Amino acid sequence: MITNILFLLLVSGLPYYIVLEKSNKFSSKAIFLLSGFLLLCAILLSLFVHNAHSEPFVIIAFISALYSIYRATKTTNFYKLGYYFIFINAPFFLLFEEQGAFYSLSLLVSLTGLYAIASFYEKHYGSANYLYVRGITLATPLVGIYITLYLITIGLYPPLPNSLFFLSYIFNSEPDALWYIVVITIYFANFLISMKVLEKSIFGKTNPSIHYVDLNFKEKITHSIILALLVLLSIYGVKEILSWVL
């Protein structure tokens, strides 16, 4: 019971909605980092303590996820989008048991990429808000490629790692009514939110009042490392699926 409560507090966003949202002392960037750190703590803890899901805790996390889905559709800030994705996927961590740690690790790597994009926007455009920085597909193609990569990974596109761990869990699960509700809802939430952000960020006409800047050498190295980690997770995810199939 205590472990379940701890996992719920670490991943579900309840500390944010209960405490942090009411405070002006934390920036969106700080909340992103804190939420990512708490998720990492939950992943590490789950390696030593069995993550046995309890329906009441999954339901609580799911209710928080539904509210986070609503909030994610209203934001145009990459930092906020990042921690909303953590809260949206919290029911998966609690429901997936053994697979939950690897799915969440893959999600965290994807969100690290999104954090790097948010920092890039904040550095070059004054904030992590992507609303007025459109049409980057042609203006800054490398930024466009990495935004697309991270969002389609979060959107559970195969053969990217998030989708592989998600598929591995489906193969190993014994679904009930709650399972169907949670899995279908969160799957489509990840997909639809990711596609909406893609449409509003990389496409459209460029803003003539903005000087567009592409990735510098250091930023290319950062994103290359993140991409390499995603590839390694994809390889492990394929291995997990094959071990089940064979």
Side-chain angles (χ1 to χ4, degrees):
M1 175 67 74
I2 295 176
T3 304
N4 286 334
I5 293 173
L6 182 57
F7 279 131
L8 182 68
L9 292 175
L10 288 173
V11 303
S12 70
L14 293 183
Y16 167 72
Y17 291 122
I18 295 172
V19 179
L20 297 181
E21 190 177 35
K22 299 176 182 178
S23 172
N24 296 322
K25 297 180 179 180
F26 296 90
S27 65
S28 297
K29 183 175 184 178
I31 295 172
F32 191 132
L33 291 171
L34 177 59
S35 301
F37 174 74
L38 292 178
L39 177 58
L40 179 60
C41 289
I43 293 169
L44 294 175
L45 180 62
S46 68
L47 299 178
F48 301 97
V49 179
H50 179 59
N51 179 21
H53 81 264
S54 171
E55 285 196 359
F57 291 97
V58 173
I59 292 172
I60 294 171
F62 183 58
I63 293 171
S64 174
L66 291 177
Y67 183 59
S68 299
I69 292 169
Y70 168 76
R71 295 294 295 270
T73 62
K74 300 298 180 182
T75 187
T76 55
N77 183 289
F78 277 125
Y79 286 131
K80 290 184 178 181
L81 186 68
Y83 58 76
Y84 286 143
F85 270 126
I86 292 177
F87 307 155
I88 289 170
N89 286 275
F92 279 172
F93 178 85
L94 297 174
L95 194 64
F96 283 12
E97 297 184 345
E98 288 80 7
Q99 285 80 17
F102 287 103
Y103 176 85
S104 296
L105 178 61
S106 177
L107 174 67
L108 191 56
V109 174
S110 307
L111 293 176
T112 300
L114 197 63
Y115 173 85
I117 292 294
S119 297
F120 174 87
Y121 269 63
E122 188 175 40
K123 175 183 176 182
H124 294 289
Y125 304 124
S127 77
N129 192 322
Y130 59 81
L131 182 61
Y132 301 107
V133 189
R134 305 192 66 176
I136 65 170
T137 304
L138 297 177
T140 54
L142 283 177
V143 176
I145 288 171
Y146 282 111
I147 292 176
T148 302
L149 173 67
Y150 300 138
L151 287 174
I152 65 174
T153 303
I154 296 168
L156 296 175
Y157 266 86
L160 298 167
N162 297 25
S163 64
L164 294 176
F165 290 115
F166 175 76
L167 186 61
S168 176
Y169 169 70
I170 290 177
F171 285 154
N172 287 279
S173 66
E174 297 180 1
D176 54 19
L178 178 62
W179 185 96
Y180 281 112
I181 293 170
V182 171
V183 169
I184 292 173
T185 302
I186 304 304
Y187 171 81
F188 280 105
N190 282 317
F191 176 79
L192 294 175
I193 293 171
S194 296
M195 294 308 101
K196 179 182 178 182
V197 175
L198 271 179
E199 189 275 328
K200 288 190 172 183
S201 58
I202 69 170
F203 299 113
K205 294 182 179 180
T206 56
N207 189 334
S209 64
I210 292 178
H211 173 64
Y212 288 82
V213 181
D214 216 338
L215 301 175
N216 60 34
F217 178 76
K218 183 179 179 180
E219 290 161 343
K220 290 177 185 178
I221 294 297
T222 299
H223 289 286
S224 296
I225 293 172
I226 296 169
L227 176 59
L229 291 174
L230 290 174
V231 170
L232 290 174
L233 286 168
S234 291
I235 294 171
Y236 184 80
V238 171
K239 180 182 176 182
E240 287 292 293
I241 292 176
L242 290 177
S243 66
W244 184 89
V245 174
L246 300 176

